[in-house]
Amino acid sequence: MNDEEKKFALYENFQKVNSIAPEFFEQYEVKRGLRNPDGTGVIAGITNIANVHGYVVSDGVKTPDEGQLRYRGYDLYDLLEDDSSDRRFSFEEVSYLLLMGELPTKEQLARFVSVIDAERELPDGFTASLIMRNTPPDIMNLLARSILLLYAFDENAEDRAPQHEIHTAISLISRVPRIMVLAYYAQQAKYNNGSMIMHRFIPGQSTAETILSMLRPDRQFTPDEARMLDVMLCLHAEHGGGNNSTFTTRVVTSADTDAYSTYAAAIGSLKGWKHGGANHQVLAMQQEIKENVQDWSDEGQVADYLAKIVNKEAFDRTGLVYGMGHAVYTISDPRAVILKKFAERLAVGTEYEAEFELLKNIERLAPEVILKEKGTNKDMCANVDMYSGFVYSMMGIPEDLFTPLFACARMAGWAAHRFEEIVSGKRIIRPAYKTTHSGKRPYKSIDER
């Protein structure tokens, strides 16, 4: 305990002061987490941007259904149907769709890509003074800080006009991936005695190619790797208005603040371990299983260790099988379905094939184990995090970049929701909180307390 803690030891009552009796939530019918009793989300808004579908509610009954994710009405499976490695990159096309509302023509896409390409340059001195100086250990924090500081380089930062909003969004979609890679090497240099590698971006490369080219010391990558990363960016680009970081975007935008403050707030939300940061928990759990299960192909051994996790005897003792289950999806998560297909193509015939089979076993066995150990017959599917860390690892992408890559992709979705909130929201988002104090407390002077 340091001197300040001794002087001001409020932490001793931290739990007591901040605890609210569970019966109050029931008494006032509070929908905690903005969820209804059956797990469905409370409708807090209307959007044309995306639809996340995982169940059907009919006559008050919630029925599981195959997962669907649609961007502006287009099914994700259709947008990413062509998985050939020589296909043109999709992330820029998806970003255009989210921002502009329609799929681009060849000419429109070419112009959009050229604008993104032209915006990658950072202000003079930005890297040396703002990324390499006082570098924090977490890259997400550095991304948020960098976005806030870019406000200072924008003479019209407080402009809410459509032209400026679109320009700011495209600028950040272009720049955040570059800032992310520079931030990673600054972090490695400061905390891990690593080399500070500062590759220039190569004009004309896609977002996925730019990330790999700047990240790899030798700048080399295969077409399959670039296509896989492009798919990952597309899968993470948008996920409806109800996810925490997008709702944060909506809430902050409704207060009529600037774009930079809004996107920095969204990154703060995405960093959370229950949101974008969940991939770290999935990877750590998978690592523990790999270390403790002797034969990864033996379903009995895998099931036995999953039972230990479910019974709070292994991993973090929460009883949760990370990478399984989702707030909306029940039978399937389309992002996981697509990612699993691409992951298998990269893994087959390589040193990663056995690990891929292990993940498939975890996905298949987890619901059975949970039913057997807990009697819970909840519809549960693998979510996108089950395979995302594995894919990144196969590509040699460090774990510190998993969530920042999520942020690079989701910039497009956040921007689309900010635009929609500006035009159609019209009111500051301000839900109600019920107080537990039934009456006025009598005040006593400081000498009487």
Side-chain angles (χ1 to χ4, degrees), residues 162-219:
Q163 295 90 335
H164 183 263
E165 286 288 342
I166 291 173
H167 177 267
T168 302
I170 293 175
S171 173
L172 292 177
I173 290 170
S174 175
R175 287 172 165 178
V176 168
R178 187 174 178 217
I179 293 172
M180 174 192 70
V181 178
L182 293 170
Y184 168 72
Y185 279 114
Q187 175 214 52
Q188 292 300 301
K190 181 172 181 178
Y191 297 98
N192 297 319
N193 296 317
S195 299
M196 183 63 201
I197 299 174
M198 297 177 64
H199 290 316
R200 287 280 300 167
F201 67 92
I202 298 176
Q205 287 189 331
S206 70
T207 300
E209 290 175 311
T210 296
I211 292 170
L212 291 174
S213 174
M214 289 186 63
L215 182 62
R216 300 277 174 85
D218 61 2
R219 312 204 73 163

Coordinates of all heavy atoms in Angstrom, one line a residue, residues 162-219:
P162 N -21.9 16.6 -44.2 CA -21.7 15.3 -44.8 C -20.3 15.2 -45.4 O -19.6 14.2 -45.3 CB -22.8 15.2 -45.8 CG -23.9 16.0 -45.2 CD -23.2 17.2 -44.6
Q163 N -19.9 16.2 -46.2 CA -18.6 16.2 -46.9 C -17.4 15.9 -45.9 O -16.5 15.1 -46.1 CB -18.4 17.5 -47.6 CG -19.3 17.7 -48.8 CD -20.6 18.5 -48.3 OE1 -20.9 18.5 -47.1 NE2 -21.2 19.2 -49.2
H164 N -17.5 16.6 -44.8 CA -16.4 16.5 -43.8 C -16.5 15.2 -43.1 O -15.4 14.5 -42.8 CB -16.4 17.6 -42.8 CG -15.2 17.6 -41.8 ND1 -15.4 17.0 -40.6 CD2 -13.9 17.9 -42.0 CE1 -14.2 17.1 -39.9 NE2 -13.3 17.6 -40.8
E165 N -17.7 14.7 -42.7 CA -17.9 13.5 -42.0 C -17.3 12.3 -42.9 O -16.6 11.4 -42.4 CB -19.3 13.2 -41.7 CG -19.9 14.1 -40.6 CD -19.3 13.7 -39.2 OE1 -18.8 12.5 -39.1 OE2 -19.4 14.5 -38.3
I166 N -17.7 12.3 -44.2 CA -17.2 11.3 -45.1 C -15.7 11.3 -45.2 O -15.0 10.3 -45.2 CB -17.9 11.4 -46.4 CG1 -19.4 11.0 -46.3 CG2 -17.2 10.4 -47.5 CD1 -20.2 11.3 -47.5
H167 N -15.1 12.5 -45.4 CA -13.7 12.7 -45.5 C -13.0 12.2 -44.3 O -12.0 11.4 -44.4 CB -13.3 14.1 -45.8 CG -11.8 14.3 -45.8 ND1 -11.1 14.7 -44.7 CD2 -11.0 14.2 -46.9 CE1 -9.8 14.8 -45.1 NE2 -9.7 14.5 -46.4
T168 N -13.5 12.5 -43.1 CA -12.8 12.0 -41.8 C -12.9 10.5 -41.7 O -11.9 9.9 -41.4 CB -13.5 12.7 -40.6 OG1 -13.5 14.1 -40.7 CG2 -12.9 12.2 -39.3
A169 N -14.0 9.9 -42.1 CA -14.2 8.5 -42.0 C -13.2 7.8 -42.9 O -12.5 6.8 -42.5 CB -15.6 8.1 -42.3
I170 N -13.1 8.2 -44.2 CA -12.2 7.6 -45.1 C -10.8 7.8 -44.7 O -10.0 6.9 -44.8 CB -12.5 8.2 -46.5 CG1 -13.9 7.7 -47.0 CG2 -11.4 7.7 -47.5 CD1 -14.3 8.3 -48.4
S171 N -10.5 9.0 -44.2 CA -9.1 9.2 -43.7 C -8.7 8.2 -42.6 O -7.6 7.7 -42.6 CB -9.0 10.7 -43.2 OG -7.8 10.9 -42.6
L172 N -9.6 8.0 -41.7 CA -9.3 7.1 -40.6 C -9.3 5.6 -41.0 O -8.5 4.8 -40.6 CB -10.3 7.3 -39.4 CG -10.2 8.6 -38.7 CD1 -11.3 8.7 -37.6 CD2 -8.8 8.8 -38.1
I173 N -10.2 5.2 -41.9 CA -10.2 3.9 -42.5 C -8.8 3.6 -43.2 O -8.3 2.5 -43.1 CB -11.3 3.7 -43.5 CG1 -12.7 3.6 -42.8 CG2 -11.1 2.4 -44.3 CD1 -13.9 3.7 -43.7
S174 N -8.3 4.7 -43.8 CA -7.0 4.6 -44.5 C -5.8 4.6 -43.5 O -4.9 3.8 -43.6 CB -6.8 5.7 -45.4 OG -5.5 5.7 -46.0
R175 N -5.9 5.5 -42.5 CA -4.7 5.7 -41.6 C -4.6 4.8 -40.4 O -3.5 4.4 -40.0 CB -4.8 7.1 -41.1 CG -4.5 8.2 -42.1 CD -4.7 9.6 -41.5 NE -4.1 10.6 -42.3 CZ -4.2 11.9 -42.1 NH1 -4.9 12.3 -41.0 NH2 -3.6 12.8 -42.9
V176 N -5.7 4.3 -39.9 CA -5.7 3.5 -38.6 C -4.8 2.2 -38.8 O -4.1 1.8 -38.0 CB -7.1 3.2 -38.1 CG1 -7.0 2.1 -37.0 CG2 -7.7 4.5 -37.5
P177 N -5.0 1.5 -40.0 CA -4.1 0.3 -40.1 C -2.6 0.7 -40.1 O -1.8 -0.1 -39.5 CB -4.5 -0.2 -41.5 CG -5.9 0.3 -41.7 CD -6.0 1.6 -41.1
R178 N -2.3 1.8 -40.7 CA -0.8 2.2 -40.7 C -0.4 2.6 -39.3 O 0.7 2.2 -38.9 CB -0.7 3.4 -41.7 CG 0.8 3.7 -41.8 CD 1.0 4.8 -42.9 NE 2.4 5.1 -43.0 CZ 2.9 6.4 -43.2 NH1 2.1 7.4 -43.3 NH2 4.2 6.6 -43.2
I179 N -1.2 3.3 -38.6 CA -0.9 3.7 -37.2 C -0.8 2.4 -36.4 O 0.1 2.3 -35.5 CB -2.0 4.6 -36.6 CG1 -2.0 6.0 -37.3 CG2 -1.8 4.8 -35.1 CD1 -3.2 6.8 -37.0
M180 N -1.6 1.5 -36.6 CA -1.6 0.2 -35.8 C -0.2 -0.5 -35.9 O 0.4 -0.9 -34.9 CB -2.7 -0.7 -36.3 CG -2.6 -2.1 -35.7 SD -3.7 -3.3 -36.5 CE -2.9 -3.5 -38.1
V181 N 0.3 -0.6 -37.2 CA 1.6 -1.3 -37.4 C 2.7 -0.5 -36.7 O 3.6 -1.1 -36.1 CB 1.8 -1.6 -38.9 CG1 3.2 -2.2 -39.0 CG2 0.7 -2.5 -39.4
L182 N 2.7 0.8 -36.9 CA 3.8 1.6 -36.3 C 3.7 1.6 -34.8 O 4.7 1.5 -34.1 CB 3.6 3.1 -36.8 CG 3.8 3.4 -38.3 CD1 3.4 4.8 -38.6 CD2 5.3 3.2 -38.6
A183 N 2.5 1.5 -34.3 CA 2.3 1.4 -32.8 C 2.8 0.1 -32.3 O 3.4 0.0 -31.2 CB 0.8 1.6 -32.5
Y184 N 2.6 -1.0 -33.1 CA 3.1 -2.3 -32.6 C 4.6 -2.3 -32.5 O 5.2 -2.8 -31.5 CB 2.7 -3.4 -33.6 CG 3.4 -4.7 -33.4 CD1 3.0 -5.5 -32.3 CD2 4.4 -5.1 -34.3 CE1 3.7 -6.7 -32.1 CE2 5.0 -6.3 -34.1 CZ 4.7 -7.1 -33.0 OH 5.3 -8.3 -32.7
Y185 N 5.3 -1.7 -33.5 CA 6.8 -1.7 -33.4 C 7.3 -0.8 -32.4 O 8.3 -1.1 -31.7 CB 7.4 -1.4 -34.8 CG 7.4 -2.7 -35.7 CD1 6.6 -2.7 -36.8 CD2 8.2 -3.8 -35.3 CE1 6.6 -3.9 -37.6 CE2 8.2 -4.9 -36.1 CZ 7.4 -5.0 -37.3 OH 7.4 -6.1 -38.0
A186 N 6.6 0.3 -32.1 CA 6.9 1.2 -31.0 C 6.8 0.5 -29.7 O 7.6 0.6 -28.8 CB 6.1 2.5 -31.1
Q187 N 5.7 -0.3 -29.6 CA 5.5 -1.0 -28.3 C 6.6 -2.1 -28.1 O 7.1 -2.3 -27.0 CB 4.1 -1.7 -28.4 CG 3.8 -2.6 -27.3 CD 2.9 -3.8 -27.7 OE1 3.3 -4.5 -28.7 NE2 1.8 -4.1 -27.0
Q188 N 6.9 -2.8 -29.2 CA 7.9 -3.8 -29.1 C 9.3 -3.2 -28.7 O 10.0 -3.8 -28.0 CB 8.0 -4.6 -30.4 CG 6.8 -5.4 -30.7 CD 6.5 -6.5 -29.7 OE1 7.4 -7.4 -29.4 NE2 5.4 -6.4 -29.0
A189 N 9.6 -2.1 -29.3 CA 10.9 -1.4 -29.0 C 11.0 -1.0 -27.6 O 12.0 -1.2 -26.9 CB 11.1 -0.3 -30.0
K190 N 9.9 -0.5 -27.0 CA 9.9 0.0 -25.7 C 9.8 -1.0 -24.6 O 10.5 -1.0 -23.6 CB 8.7 1.0 -25.5 CG 8.7 1.6 -24.1 CD 7.7 2.7 -24.0 CE 7.7 3.3 -22.5 NZ 6.7 4.4 -22.4
Y191 N 9.0 -2.1 -24.8 CA 8.7 -3.0 -23.8 C 9.4 -4.4 -24.0 O 9.6 -5.1 -23.0 CB 7.2 -3.2 -23.6 CG 6.5 -2.0 -23.2 CD1 5.8 -1.2 -24.1 CD2 6.5 -1.6 -21.9 CE1 5.2 0.0 -23.8 CE2 5.8 -0.4 -21.5 CZ 5.2 0.4 -22.4 OH 4.5 1.5 -22.1
N192 N 9.8 -4.7 -25.2 CA 10.4 -6.0 -25.4 C 11.7 -6.0 -26.1 O 12.2 -7.0 -26.7 CB 9.4 -6.9 -26.3 CG 8.1 -7.1 -25.6 OD1 8.0 -7.4 -24.4 ND2 7.0 -7.0 -26.3
N193 N 12.4 -4.9 -26.1 CA 13.7 -4.7 -26.7 C 13.7 -5.1 -28.2 O 14.7 -5.6 -28.7 CB 14.8 -5.5 -25.9 CG 15.0 -5.0 -24.5 OD1 15.0 -3.8 -24.3 ND2 15.0 -6.0 -23.6
G194 N 12.6 -4.9 -28.8 CA 12.5 -5.2 -30.3 C 13.0 -4.1 -31.2 O 13.3 -3.0 -30.7
S195 N 13.1 -4.4 -32.4 CA 13.6 -3.5 -33.4 C 12.4 -2.6 -33.8 O 11.3 -3.1 -34.0 CB 14.2 -4.2 -34.6 OG 15.3 -4.9 -34.3
M196 N 12.7 -1.3 -34.1 CA 11.6 -0.4 -34.5 C 11.7 -0.4 -36.1 O 12.5 0.3 -36.7 CB 11.9 1.0 -34.0 CG 10.8 2.0 -34.4 SD 9.2 1.6 -33.8 CE 8.2 2.6 -34.9
I197 N 10.8 -1.2 -36.7 CA 10.8 -1.3 -38.1 C 9.7 -0.3 -38.6 O 8.6 -0.3 -38.2 CB 10.4 -2.8 -38.5 CG1 11.5 -3.7 -38.0 CG2 10.2 -2.9 -40.1 CD1 11.2 -5.2 -38.3
M198 N 10.1 0.5 -39.6 CA 9.2 1.5 -40.1 C 9.2 1.5 -41.6 O 9.8 2.3 -42.3 CB 9.7 2.9 -39.6 CG 9.6 3.1 -38.1 SD 10.2 4.7 -37.5 CE 9.0 5.8 -38.3
H199 N 8.5 0.5 -42.2 CA 8.3 0.4 -43.6 C 7.4 1.5 -44.1 O 6.4 1.8 -43.4 CB 7.8 -1.0 -44.0 CG 8.7 -2.1 -43.8 ND1 10.0 -2.0 -44.2 CD2 8.5 -3.3 -43.3 CE1 10.6 -3.2 -44.0 NE2 9.7 -4.0 -43.4
R200 N 7.6 2.1 -45.2 CA 6.7 3.0 -45.8 C 5.6 2.1 -46.4 O 5.8 1.0 -46.8 CB 7.4 3.8 -46.9 CG 8.3 4.8 -46.4 CD 7.5 6.1 -46.0 NE 6.8 6.6 -47.1 CZ 5.8 7.6 -47.0 NH1 5.5 8.0 -45.8 NH2 5.2 8.0 -48.1
F201 N 4.4 2.7 -46.5 CA 3.3 2.0 -47.2 C 3.6 2.1 -48.7 O 4.3 3.0 -49.2 CB 2.0 2.6 -46.9 CG 1.8 4.0 -47.4 CD1 1.2 4.3 -48.7 CD2 2.2 5.1 -46.6 CE1 1.0 5.6 -49.1 CE2 2.0 6.4 -47.1 CZ 1.4 6.7 -48.4
I202 N 3.1 1.1 -49.5 CA 3.3 1.1 -50.9 C 2.0 1.5 -51.6 O 1.0 0.9 -51.5 CB 3.7 -0.3 -51.4 CG1 5.0 -0.8 -50.7 CG2 3.8 -0.4 -52.9 CD1 5.4 -2.2 -51.0
P203 N 2.0 2.7 -52.3 CA 0.8 3.1 -53.0 C 0.3 2.1 -53.9 O 1.0 1.3 -54.6 CB 1.3 4.3 -53.8 CG 2.5 4.8 -53.0 CD 3.2 3.6 -52.5
G204 N -1.0 2.0 -53.9 CA -1.7 1.0 -54.8 C -2.1 -0.3 -54.1 O -2.8 -1.1 -54.7
Q205 N -1.5 -0.6 -52.9 CA -1.8 -1.8 -52.3 C -3.2 -1.7 -51.6 O -3.6 -0.6 -51.1 CB -0.7 -2.2 -51.2 CG 0.5 -2.7 -51.9 CD 1.5 -3.2 -50.8 OE1 1.5 -2.8 -49.7 NE2 2.3 -4.2 -51.3
S206 N -3.9 -2.8 -51.4 CA -5.1 -2.8 -50.7 C -4.8 -2.7 -49.2 O -3.7 -2.7 -48.8 CB -5.8 -4.2 -50.9 OG -5.1 -5.2 -50.3
T207 N -5.9 -2.5 -48.4 CA -5.7 -2.4 -46.9 C -5.0 -3.6 -46.4 O -4.1 -3.5 -45.6 CB -7.0 -2.2 -46.3 OG1 -7.6 -1.0 -46.8 CG2 -6.9 -2.1 -44.7
A208 N -5.5 -4.8 -46.8 CA -4.9 -6.1 -46.3 C -3.4 -6.2 -46.7 O -2.5 -6.5 -45.9 CB -5.6 -7.3 -46.8
E209 N -3.1 -5.8 -47.9 CA -1.7 -5.9 -48.4 C -0.9 -4.9 -47.7 O 0.3 -5.1 -47.4 CB -1.7 -5.6 -49.9 CG -2.3 -6.7 -50.8 CD -2.3 -6.3 -52.3 OE1 -2.8 -5.2 -52.6 OE2 -1.9 -7.1 -53.1
T210 N -1.4 -3.7 -47.4 CA -0.6 -2.6 -46.7 C -0.3 -3.1 -45.3 O 0.9 -2.9 -44.9 CB -1.5 -1.3 -46.6 OG1 -1.7 -0.8 -48.0 CG2 -0.8 -0.3 -45.8
I211 N -1.2 -3.7 -44.6 CA -0.9 -4.2 -43.3 C 0.2 -5.2 -43.3 O 1.2 -5.2 -42.5 CB -2.2 -4.8 -42.6 CG1 -3.2 -3.7 -42.4 CG2 -1.9 -5.5 -41.3 CD1 -4.6 -4.2 -42.0
L212 N 0.1 -6.2 -44.2 CA 1.1 -7.3 -44.2 C 2.4 -6.7 -44.7 O 3.5 -7.1 -44.1 CB 0.6 -8.4 -45.2 CG -0.6 -9.2 -44.7 CD1 -1.0 -10.2 -45.7 CD2 -0.2 -10.0 -43.4
S213 N 2.4 -5.9 -45.7 CA 3.7 -5.3 -46.2 C 4.4 -4.5 -45.1 O 5.6 -4.5 -45.0 CB 3.4 -4.4 -47.4 OG 4.5 -3.8 -47.9
M214 N 3.7 -3.7 -44.3 CA 4.3 -2.9 -43.3 C 4.7 -3.7 -42.1 O 5.6 -3.4 -41.4 CB 3.3 -1.8 -42.9 CG 3.1 -0.7 -43.9 SD 2.1 0.6 -43.2 CE 3.2 1.2 -41.9
L215 N 4.0 -4.8 -41.8 CA 4.2 -5.6 -40.6 C 5.4 -6.6 -40.8 O 6.2 -6.8 -39.9 CB 2.9 -6.4 -40.3 CG 3.0 -7.3 -39.0 CD1 3.2 -6.5 -37.8 CD2 1.7 -8.1 -38.9
R216 N 5.5 -7.2 -42.0 CA 6.5 -8.2 -42.2 C 7.9 -7.5 -42.4 O 8.0 -6.6 -43.2 CB 6.2 -9.0 -43.5 CG 4.9 -9.8 -43.4 CD 5.0 -11.1 -42.7 NE 3.8 -11.8 -42.5 CZ 3.2 -12.6 -43.4 NH1 3.7 -12.8 -44.6 NH2 2.0 -13.2 -43.1
P217 N 8.9 -8.0 -41.6 CA 10.2 -7.4 -41.8 C 10.7 -7.4 -43.2 O 11.4 -6.5 -43.7 CB 11.1 -8.2 -40.8 CG 10.1 -8.7 -39.8 CD 8.8 -9.0 -40.5
D218 N 10.4 -8.5 -43.9 CA 10.9 -8.6 -45.3 C 9.9 -8.2 -46.3 O 10.1 -8.3 -47.5 CB 11.3 -10.1 -45.6 CG 10.2 -11.1 -45.5 OD1 9.0 -10.7 -45.2 OD2 10.4 -12.3 -45.7
R219 N 8.7 -7.7 -45.8 CA 7.6 -7.2 -46.6 C 6.9 -8.3 -47.5 O 6.1 -7.9 -48.4 CB 8.0 -6.0 -47.5 CG 8.8 -5.0 -46.8 CD 8.8 -3.6 -47.5 NE 7.4 -3.0 -47.2 CZ 7.2 -1.7 -47.4 NH1 8.1 -0.9 -47.8 NH2 6.0 -1.2 -47.2

